[in-house]
Amino acid sequence: MDKYRCETCGYIYNPAKGDPDSDVEAGTAWENVPDDWECPVCGASKDDFQFFKKG
C-alpha cells in the first residue's frame, strides 16, 4: 500500500499500521482515511500530506 508523508513534520502514514489512536485500523488505505483525520504528531490536516512511497 502507498505511504503518505506529512509536509509539516515528516510523519509517514503507513496503511499497514493505520493510526489506532485515532480509530484508523491497520490496513486502511489513504483514500479511506477520514477527511477530518489529523496528523498524530503535529495535528496537520490530511490535505497537508503528500504521496511518499509506493508499496
Side-chain angles (χ1 to χ4, degrees):
M1 297 181 118
D2 297 344
K3 297 176 183 172
Y4 290 80
R5 179 177 58 209
C6 177
E7 294 296 308
T8 302
C9 73
Y11 169 82
I12 305 295
Y13 175 75
N14 182 346
K17 295 180 180 179
D19 181 15
D21 292 335
S22 297
D23 295 325
V24 178
E25 294 182 17
T28 301
W30 182 247
E31 307 77 58
N32 297 323
V33 172
D35 290 336
D36 62 350
W37 177 83
E38 296 178 343
C39 176
V41 174
C42 72
S45 72
K46 188 177 171 185
D47 291 337
D48 293 324
F49 280 71
Q50 296 293 320
F51 173 79
F52 176 66
K53 186 177 180 183
K54 197 135 183 93

